[in-house]
Amino acid sequence: MEGEIKNFIMVWASALLSLWYCHMVGKIISKGAIRFFAILPVILFLFFLPLNLSTIFLGGPTSFFLAWLANFKLLLFAFGHGPLSTYPVPLSFPNFISLACLPIKFRQSPDKPVQEKISKGSGQKSSLNYGLKIAVLAMTAPIYLQKDHIHPKIVLLLYALYLYIGLELVLAVVAAFARVYLRLELEPQFHEPYLATSLQDFWGRRWNLMVTSILHQTVYSPVTYISSHLIGKKWAALPGVLASFLVSGIMHELIFYYIGRKKPTWELTCFFFVHGISLAIEIVIKKAFNGKCRQPTVVSRLSALAFVVATALWLFMPQVIYAEFDVKTRRECIAFINFVRDNITTDSWFKSFITLKKG
């Protein structure tokens, strides 16, 4: 554990130094190809840095923040787009690194549009919302302890529940940090995805919205623009959707490799490509019926949730087991408890020894 903490500090110190370089490049070099090639070594370096970490609790978030968030935002920054580009007034260095690495945005004034978003649930959630989800985790934890006597699909379903709630709680902690220390607001990440009425609703407005926003700018928009000249504007969105889900699948394979260090089986890519094809079909059907063919809300919610859960249990969640997320999580929790206990014991012994010496 001590060695991992040292590596964690080294990784983030290197990342901050690299981002300082990118910040300076943005001041000196105009957007375009030259800035891109000046930043490219940093992008490659940020892909390498997470390999120095092997734990879920430190390596997992680091790989996501650096290899995915920071790199995709730097790609946009190279061409004058994205949250890091604020021409003509550049961002300060603290704001630059915060926006590059974390899922945050500047605090907005409480105008009417923002208040409307919050009232609809896309803004900050209440403490009760998070409290209920923590309670669900607490109530389902004893079931996990009996997993050897439970059907494997039920165990995978529990893992999916833990993964969703865990991600939302971790990002809530980041949000609290951003508000208190950086005076920044966290971008909305999850908007009760289990209430989605379609795949478009699930992926576009409810699940991991920060990644959706990044993929929209880096993949969907460029591919859609090119496709509009090849197949026309009416169906240009379809290649953009497929490309976005394909890139998302590849990035998930990379994040899982950082954590599990096991050869990819490409089932994660298949999962996202299946959803990309399904979402494209959904778009075609909606356009064919001009939005007039709609199911009752209850039916649409149940069908969307059933499809997401079924495909996740088929292709996504088995990769969580393959990467041994559950084993590593349990091992790291025990290691952390032992690390804290040993350090507290050592510290108490040292204080007692000093007291005896003084006596």
Side-chain angles (χ1 to χ4, degrees):
M1 177 60 72
E2 186 175 352
E4 183 76 356
I5 293 175
K6 291 180 179 178
N7 288 342
F8 178 76
I9 295 173
M10 181 274 294
V11 164
W12 277 98
S14 301
L16 294 180
L17 184 61
S18 300
L19 290 172
W20 172 81
Y21 163 79
C22 293
H23 185 250
M24 296 304 297
V25 165
K27 292 182 176 181
I28 300 172
I29 303 176
S30 301
K31 63 182 180 180
I34 298 178
R35 183 191 287 185
F36 168 74
F37 284 110
I39 291 177
L40 183 59
V42 171
I43 294 175
L44 298 176
F45 184 58
L46 292 182
F47 276 123
F48 164 77
L49 279 180
L51 292 173
N52 293 283
L53 300 172
S54 59
T55 59
I56 286 183
F57 293 114
L58 296 180
T62 297
S63 61
F64 176 58
F65 291 156
L66 296 183
W68 196 334
L69 279 189
N71 272 343
F72 277 55
K73 289 180 182 180
L74 286 176
L75 281 173
L76 291 171
F77 175 67
F79 296 98
H81 301 292
L84 302 181
S85 298
T86 55
Y87 182 84
V89 180
L91 292 169
S92 65
F93 179 61
N95 287 339
F96 184 89
I97 60 174
S98 300
L99 285 172
C101 298
L102 301 175
I104 56 178
K105 62 182 178 181
F106 290 115
R107 183 184 297 275
Q108 293 179 300
S109 59
D111 53 11
K112 184 177 179 180
V114 174
Q115 291 299 325
E116 288 178 354
K117 290 181 180 179
I118 292 176
S119 65
K120 292 179 181 179
S122 61
Q124 298 303 325
K125 297 183 179 180
S126 65
S127 299
L128 177 61
N129 185 290
Y130 291 117
L132 289 174
K133 288 169 182 174
I134 293 173
V136 170
L137 282 181
M139 288 187 293
T140 55
I143 302 176
Y144 167 78
L145 298 177
Q146 303 296 324
K147 67 175 184 176
D148 294 336
H149 307 288
I150 302 175
H151 193 281
K153 294 297 183 183
I154 302 298
V155 174
L156 288 180
L157 191 60
L158 285 174
Y159 284 161
L161 181 65
Y162 297 156
L163 185 63
Y164 158 56
I165 296 179
L167 281 173
E168 188 160 5
L169 292 178
V170 166
L171 292 172
V173 171
V174 176
F177 170 81
R179 282 189 217 101
V180 174
Y181 295 102
L182 302 175
R183 301 297 297 169
L184 298 171
E185 279 293 348
L186 182 74
E187 295 177 353
Q189 300 306 306
F190 296 94
H191 180 197
E192 313 306 338
Y194 47 84
L195 297 179
T197 56
S198 65
L199 290 180
Q200 275 186 296
D201 187 30
F202 180 86
W203 291 111
R205 293 181 286 272
R206 294 185 181 274
W207 182 266
N208 209 348
L209 301 181
M210 167 197 50
V211 170
T212 299
S213 175
I214 291 296
L215 287 174
H216 189 278
Q217 297 176 73
T218 56
V219 182
Y220 177 82
S221 293
V223 173
T224 301
Y225 175 77
I226 295 172
S227 300
S228 65
H229 294 283
L230 300 176
I231 61 176
K233 292 184 178 180
K234 183 177 181 180
W235 304 111
L238 301 184
V241 167
L242 294 177
S244 298
F245 276 90
L246 181 61
V247 171
S248 180
I250 293 173
M251 291 305 301
H252 276 83
E253 298 280 4
L254 181 62
I255 300 300
F256 273 54
Y257 176 77
Y258 284 135
I259 297 173
R261 301 299 164 85
K262 289 190 175 183
K263 184 179 179 180
T265 63
W266 303 108
E267 289 185 30
L268 292 170
T269 303
C270 289
F271 168 80
F272 284 97
F273 199 64
V274 165
H275 274 258
I277 293 175
S278 302
L279 201 155
I281 293 173
E282 186 179 281
I283 292 174
V284 171
I285 293 174
K286 287 182 177 180
K287 287 189 175 183
F289 288 93
N290 198 23
K292 295 179 180 179
C293 182
R294 292 185 179 181
Q295 296 175 319
T297 302
V298 174
V299 175
S300 60
R301 281 179 175 172
L302 288 175
S303 58
L305 182 62
F307 182 81
V308 172
V309 170
T311 51
L313 296 182
W314 171 36
L315 292 170
F316 191 94
M317 295 311 299
Q319 293 304 297
V320 173
I321 304 299
Y322 173 69
E324 298 183 335
F325 280 22
D326 56 333
V327 176
K328 290 172 71 71
T329 299
R330 185 169 60 250
R331 186 190 304 147
E332 289 172 22
C333 287
I334 295 173
F336 177 74
I337 292 171
N338 291 335
F339 175 79
V340 173
R341 183 189 60 192
D342 293 344
N343 278 273
I344 291 176
T345 303
T346 303
D347 187 55
S348 300
W349 178 88
F350 180 74
K351 289 180 179 178
S352 300
F353 177 76
I354 294 297
T355 302
L356 289 174
K357 289 288 287 183
K358 288 181 178 179

